Amino acid sequence: MEWFSEHAWQVWLGAGVLLAAAETLGFDLILLMLAAGAVAGMAVALVGAPAALQVLAFAGVSVAMLALVRPSVVKRLHSGPDLQHGHTKLVGQRALVTEDVSALSHGRVRLDGEVWSAAPYDEHLTITAGETVEVFEIRGATAYVHPVPRLEG
């Protein structure tokens, strides 16, 4: 037991390094929080505090890290921009009507550099060529569009 009291800070440092290294295997951030607790135990050992205080420091910092730090870090790691692929990325974009669009005769729009078949999202509308529209939905190869209101000055 005397050896531990003389080399306590080294034991805590070794435990912290091992826990941090083991974290790389799973990346749940639990072992990393325990490693922070081990560093706190090492700091208390360097001051010369008894082993009981070192263990309390380890436990306190570990619990605090698990309860306060880990949830926000995990949330930040798991969140990110929603990646949209394929035609779903075109929803919400603006297009130019190149051929009149109505419920009876589907027209055409230039959307993202390509010409698409288009139908009005509101089946009672007729949209004339030259108007700007917004894509509300895409079904198959048809873009369902709605005119963008113009500000008259």
Side-chain angles (χ1 to χ4, degrees):
M1 196 63 165
E2 187 175 317
W3 181 89
F4 177 77
S5 60
E6 291 176 8
H7 302 299
W9 74 270
Q10 296 161 329
V11 172
W12 285 114
L13 178 61
V17 168
L18 287 175
L19 287 166
E23 178 63 45
T24 63
L25 299 175
F27 207 65
D28 290 329
L29 298 179
I30 293 172
L31 296 178
L32 192 61
M33 302 299 128
L34 296 177
V39 170
M42 178 192 76
V44 173
L46 282 172
V47 175
L53 279 178
Q54 296 170 28
V55 171
L56 282 175
F58 165 75
V61 169
S62 295
V63 168
M65 294 290 285
L66 286 168
L68 303 175
V69 176
R70 184 180 178 272
S72 63
V73 172
V74 168
K75 182 179 178 183
R76 179 170 279 150
L77 285 175
H78 291 297
S79 67
D82 292 331
L83 299 178
Q84 296 179 337
H85 300 287
H87 67 272
T88 58
K89 70 179 180 178
L90 299 174
V91 173
Q93 288 193 9
R94 298 212 172 167
L96 178 66
V97 178
T98 59
E99 189 179 303
D100 289 356
V101 176
S102 70
L104 298 175
S105 64
H106 292 194
R108 302 229 180 269
V109 295
R110 179 164 297 282
L111 172 62
D112 196 36
E114 298 178 350
V115 176
W116 281 74
S117 172
Y121 190 76
D122 178 357
E123 60 211 27
H124 303 295
L125 288 178
T126 298
I127 307 167
T128 58
E131 286 196 54
T132 302
V133 292
E134 182 177 343
V135 178
F136 277 17
E137 182 179 2
I138 293 186
R139 288 186 227 146
T142 303
Y144 287 82
V145 297
H146 192 74
V148 174
R150 281 188 265 168
L151 296 175
E152 301 295 328

